[in-house]
Amino acid sequence: MNLTLIIIIVTSIISFTAFSNQRIIDNLIFYPPYIHQKNQWYRFITSGFIHADITHLLFNMFSFYMFGVFVEQNFDQIFGDRGKAIYLLLYITSLAACLVPTYSKQKDNYHYRSLGASGAVSAVVFAGLFLNPLAKIGFFILPPVIPGFIFGPIFLIISAYLAKRGGDTINHSAHIWGAVYGITFLLVMSYALTPFDLLNNFVHQIQSFFS
């Protein structure tokens, strides 16, 4: 059993338990005032293991599975025996990293709450797109025909627009910063721990698309 599936199972169990237990949600949800005033920093991580409803959970875990297996396998190839540990580190740290801008903005907002693994999923998705920028991706109702290196910027532009517009209950900022963190983490770890030139590999694949 791979780490991706283990994370999905753990997240699903906790989320399903929380669906019928408001106390669990209250204890785990990302609530900036409690982090700021009571030092409950664990909420940066625990909020990624609960979801608003079954649709929210299924969408996140399906997206995570579709990219997570590929990214985990590539981490094993790139980092060798350390691959799974680094992959797990990516997921756990991205849960927190994607929420730092939100925390900075909302730390005194008693009406703000956030939950779900969307930021970490975004980190894994964009790490996957960086590893394989030519992968065909679907966008909403479109079939998987858009190359990843085109899909990525479109997704970020739309997320930035929706974040600026506001008016919904989705933390678009977490999607954006999760994506940025996923690519940054991958580049830093690959340069620090391996001789593999990941950036050159990315550029070479895109050049091959136009040649």
Side-chain angles (χ1 to χ4, degrees), residues 133-134 149 200-211:
L134 302 187
F149 74 92
N200 184 62
N201 178 69
F202 174 79
V203 173
H204 179 73
Q205 289 191 64
I206 295 177
Q207 288 176 337
S208 70
F209 178 82
F210 293 105
S211 62

Side-chain angles (χ1 to χ4, degrees), residues 17-75:
T17 304
F19 288 155
S20 58
N21 192 326
Q22 185 62 41
R23 184 176 180 180
I24 293 178
I25 295 178
D26 292 339
N27 288 337
L28 302 183
I29 201 168
F30 183 73
Y31 188 46
Y34 275 16
I35 297 172
H36 179 53
Q37 298 170 10
K38 299 184 178 182
N39 293 320
Q40 295 181 353
W41 302 101
Y42 65 86
R43 291 179 182 271
F44 275 97
I45 304 298
T46 59
S47 59
F49 290 91
I50 54 175
H51 289 77
D53 51 42
I54 185 64
T55 302
H56 187 205
L57 174 66
L58 287 175
F59 182 82
N60 272 344
M61 293 300 98
F62 177 75
S63 301
F64 176 53
Y65 180 77
M66 293 299 293
F67 284 86
V69 173
F70 169 77
V71 172
E72 182 177 349
Q73 290 173 346
N74 274 263
F75 271 41

Side-chain angles (χ1 to χ4, degrees), residues 2-8 63-76 79-94 120-121 123-125 127-128 131 181 185-186 189 193:
N2 55 45
L3 274 177
T4 300
L5 191 54
I6 292 173
I7 292 171
I8 290 173
S63 301
F64 176 53
Y65 180 77
M66 293 299 293
F67 284 86
V69 173
F70 169 77
V71 172
E72 182 177 349
Q73 290 173 346
N74 274 263
F75 271 41
D76 287 339
F79 300 108
D81 294 339
R82 296 173 291 189
K84 293 196 182 303
I86 294 173
Y87 175 70
L88 182 60
L89 183 64
L90 165 64
Y91 188 85
I92 296 299
T93 57
S94 63
V121 171
V124 172
V125 168
L131 289 166
Y181 181 79
F185 178 96
L186 179 58
M189 296 300 286
L193 300 176

Side-chain angles (χ1 to χ4, degrees), residues 68-149:
V69 173
F70 169 77
V71 172
E72 182 177 349
Q73 290 173 346
N74 274 263
F75 271 41
D76 287 339
Q77 295 175 6
I78 296 172
F79 300 108
D81 294 339
R82 296 173 291 189
K84 293 196 182 303
I86 294 173
Y87 175 70
L88 182 60
L89 183 64
L90 165 64
Y91 188 85
I92 296 299
T93 57
S94 63
L95 287 172
C98 72
L99 292 172
V100 171
T102 302
Y103 170 73
S104 178
K105 183 179 180 180
Q106 305 289 350
K107 62 183 178 181
D108 293 315
N109 185 352
Y110 288 89
H111 301 288
Y112 186 87
R113 290 172 173 79
S114 180
L115 75 172
S118 300
V121 171
S122 184
V124 172
V125 168
F126 273 76
L129 294 181
F130 200 83
L131 289 166
N132 185 14
L134 302 187
K136 298 297 188 296
I137 310 296
F139 199 77
F140 294 114
I141 62 173
L142 296 178
V145 295
I146 305 174
F149 74 92

